[in-house]
Amino acid sequence: MHTVVVGTSGVSAADVVAVARANARIELSEEAVAALASARAIVDALAAKPEPVYGVSTGFGALATRHISQELRAQLQRNIVRSHAAGMGPRVEREVVRALMFLRLKTVCSGRTGVRPEVAQTMADVLNAGITPVVHEYGSLGCSGDLAPLSHCALTLMGEGDAEGPDGVVAPAGELLAAHGIAPVELREKEGLALLNGTDGMLGMLVMALADLENLYKSADITAALSLEALLGTEKVLAPELHAIRPHPGQGASAANMLAVLKGSELTGHHQDDAPRVQDAYSVRCAPQVAGAGRDTMAHARLVAERELASAVDNPVVLPDGRVESNGNFHGAPVAYVLDFLAIAAADLGSIAERRTDRLLDKNRSHGLPPFLADDAGVDSGLMIAQYTQAALVSEMKRLAVPASADSIPSSAMQEDHVSMGWSAARKLRTAIDNLTRIVAVELYAATRGIELREGLTPGPASRAVIDAVRAAGVQGPGPDRFLAPDLAAADAFVRGGHLVTAVEPVTGPLA
């Protein structure tokens, strides 16, 4: 099993995906353990002084003015976890919770939080045991971090609340810890606060969204090329010299991907045949411009994610010179903005894909294809309602593109009077990505059928490889009407699993 070593300088996006989705094992570096011990010594020294220090010997948020006596501080740390574990609604996905915990561990190991080494080791032990705290959909405003979600994770470390075992069964957390030989932690000064105060949930979802979108943008370039082929479009608009004079990197990459898929096709460039036309429609001709803009948005989001992955987000923090200072680094605005931006780009990519599908099904615009790609139009409805389903998904994506980060709602008696709503932005982006996958799958289904209905014309080798692979995966080709949902589900699984890209790349070489 792959092992991720957590040090003091952050982790990579690949580390997050490995832990969240592939159950990679976690180890703490010697450097991290030493940094944890050093920072803890500073916190212990401050805790022994009579002067109040926020997060060490005071209450929290709007209650920060109260000085807490030493005999009540352990209770204070337990109480903040218990009271903040106030989430509601459906359970959050296992991979999101694992990413959330791992990223909090990443910050703890920076040596900026004042948490003891044994607490960090317990966090690693829980993840390595496959124990997943029950975290709920609602409870984070994305300021002071993802408070409720992180609190439910901290509750598991204390042996309280519910968690899911490696067998997928939910049980009391204390029982699961005992079954794996893990002792519950007894929190000391600052530790409860340090376990709750970060952008880890929204960041974890951003990292996984970028991994999913990388596959989807390549897949969308492929399906756009297939649709162009099925519509007898021209590949001349993809020429590198045309994209060089508008040098957006994503646009050039998408155009190059489409051109590689279309190489060797006999279906392109039939503009002066039986249905002459000067230009293809925007949804075909401008595919690289739209997908490319989304790719460039991803590049910006990836830069924000990399900076956040290298950050130590907590309040207060232990500085290298020994000071413990309050700050506002927990505010989720940088992450929230790019989560919303990605949802906008994804909605537009889904929208242009649906327009190409609709064009393939309309006999007045498909340049010779049968109505709705039906076998016997009138008796058969073909893919008419598959496009309805795709349109419904696009419509929802437009609603999901409304930015969460443009909203703020005051909390904590107006102490936390401006929040990021980054968790909400991340949650809706996950739904948008699910929808986009299905939208691309419907275009794939329609475009491959359209190509196969072009009798006497041979598609390019890459298109042929896609058709062979998708048919082998259980997605049927042209013919009389049948129960469509299983075909669409198989196409969805084909795209979601990255199989569309892997079908093409042995022919085209690696896509950008």
Side-chain angles (χ1 to χ4, degrees):
M1 183 183 292
H2 177 60
T3 298
V4 172
V5 179
V6 183
T8 60
S9 58
V11 296
S12 70
D15 291 337
V16 176
V17 174
V19 171
R21 292 179 167 171
N23 302 312
R25 184 170 181 80
I26 300 163
E27 293 181 2
L28 309 185
S29 71
E30 292 182 4
E31 175 195 27
V33 173
L36 284 159
S38 176
R40 184 64 209 180
I42 294 170
V43 170
D44 286 341
L46 289 171
K49 292 183 177 181
E51 298 84 8
V53 177
Y54 177 70
V56 176
S57 54
T58 71
F60 310 112
L63 303 176
T65 55
R66 179 177 171 182
H67 182 249
I68 308 299
S69 61
Q70 286 191 342
E71 64 272 15
L72 292 177
R73 289 177 190 170
Q75 181 181 339
L76 170 69
Q77 300 301 320
R78 289 194 299 270
N79 285 351
I80 190 176
V81 172
R82 290 167 176 163
S83 65
H84 284 46
M88 295 182 73
R91 285 180 57 193
V92 172
E93 304 85 358
R94 181 179 186 271
E95 66 176 25
V96 172
V97 180
R98 286 183 62 81
L100 174 76
M101 288 187 70
F102 175 64
L103 287 168
R104 183 75 322 225
L105 175 61
K106 174 268 297 184
T107 283
V108 164
C109 287
S110 69
R112 297 285 173 260
T113 69
V115 169
R116 288 169 295 151
E118 50 264 46
V119 176
Q121 186 59 56
T122 301
M123 296 172 75
D125 291 343
V126 168
L127 284 164
N128 289 338
I131 297 171
T132 307
V134 171
V135 173
H136 300 279
E137 180 80 18
Y138 302 105
S140 175
L141 298 178
C143 199
S144 292
D146 293 317
L147 284 174
L150 283 164
S151 297
H152 282 275
C153 293
L155 201 65
T156 294
L157 299 178
M158 292 166 50
E160 300 181 18
D162 292 329
E164 180 186 293
D167 58 359
V169 176
V170 174
E175 294 179 9
L176 289 170
L177 294 184
H180 290 83
I182 302 171
V185 298
E186 296 182 8
L187 299 175
R188 288 170 46 179
E189 291 94 343
K190 194 183 179 301
E191 290 180 333
L193 185 61
L195 294 176
L196 316 186
N197 213 344
T199 56
D200 308 295
M202 62 183 91
L203 176 58
M205 286 186 274
L206 172 60
V207 168
M208 290 186 287
L210 288 168
D212 294 337
L213 287 169
E214 184 173 354
N215 168 56
L216 277 174
Y217 270 83
K218 290 179 183 179
S219 298
D221 289 341
I222 295 168
T223 57
L226 296 175
S227 291
L228 184 152
E229 211 170 1
L231 290 167
L232 305 180
T234 178
E235 80 285 7
K236 290 182 179 179
V237 296
L238 305 173
E241 57 270 26
L242 291 175
H243 296 277
I245 61 175
R246 194 189 190 196
H248 294 289
Q251 176 180 324
S254 284
N257 286 348
M258 289 181 66
L259 202 57
V261 173
L262 292 168
K263 186 176 181 180
S265 174
E266 293 182 1
L267 278 74
T268 58
H270 291 269
H271 281 56
Q272 301 304 317
D273 290 354
D274 295 335
R277 59 195 188 277
V278 176
Q279 298 174 321
D280 291 318
Y282 283 11
S283 60
V284 178
R285 188 176 7 138
C286 301
Q289 284 77 6
V290 171
R295 284 169 167 270
D296 291 343
T297 300
M298 285 172 58
H300 171 59
R302 194 172 290 113
L303 176 61
V304 171
E306 288 170 355
R307 289 170 176 165
E308 199 76 359
L309 287 168
S311 301
V313 178
D314 193 15
N315 178 47
V317 290
V318 181
L319 294 172
D321 61 8
R323 286 181 294 142
V324 175
E325 297 286 358
S326 292
N327 67 87
N329 284 342
F330 49 73
H331 200 288
V335 183
Y337 292 166
V338 293
L339 287 163
D340 280 332
F341 201 175
L342 288 172
I344 292 169
D348 202 33
L349 187 64
S351 179
I352 197 171
E354 183 275 330
R355 289 293 81 206
R356 289 190 294 264
T357 302
D358 183 64
R359 184 165 289 272
L360 286 164
L361 272 54
D362 184 351
K363 70 180 182 66
N364 296 312
R365 296 179 292 140
S366 65
H367 309 290
L369 291 172
F372 303 105
L373 305 182
D375 186 62
D376 183 4
V379 175
D380 295 311
S381 294
L383 306 191
M384 180 190 295
I385 308 304
Q387 184 268 331
Y388 279 38
T389 300
Q390 191 187 39
L393 290 163
V394 169
S395 186
E396 184 179 36
M397 289 193 71
K398 292 173 183 177
R399 296 191 295 272
L400 292 167
V402 176
S405 59
D407 186 27
S408 176
I409 188 163
S411 58
S412 192
M414 292 298 286
Q415 176 70 5
E416 299 170 9
D417 59 351
H418 186 274
V419 298
S420 77
M421 303 306 296
W423 174 273
S424 298
R427 297 305 294 164
K428 69 184 182 65
L429 178 59
R430 284 179 68 84
T431 303
I433 288 171
D434 272 348
N435 285 357
L436 179 59
T437 307
R438 297 180 183 111
I439 290 164
V440 171
V442 174
E443 183 181 17
L444 171 66
Y445 189 41
T448 52
R449 180 181 282 209
I451 289 172
E452 288 182 297
L453 289 170
R454 294 292 188 186
E455 297 179 359
L457 293 172
T458 303
S463 300
R464 185 71 262 166
V466 168
I467 292 169
D468 291 345
V470 81
R471 298 290 172 257
V475 182
Q476 299 184 50
D481 279 358
R482 56 182 172 270
F483 181 22
L484 271 188
D487 273 7
L488 297 178
D492 176 33
F494 189 76
V495 173
R496 193 175 300 272
H499 306 300
L500 178 54
V501 176
T502 57
V504 161
E505 288 189 327
V507 179
T508 61
L511 296 179

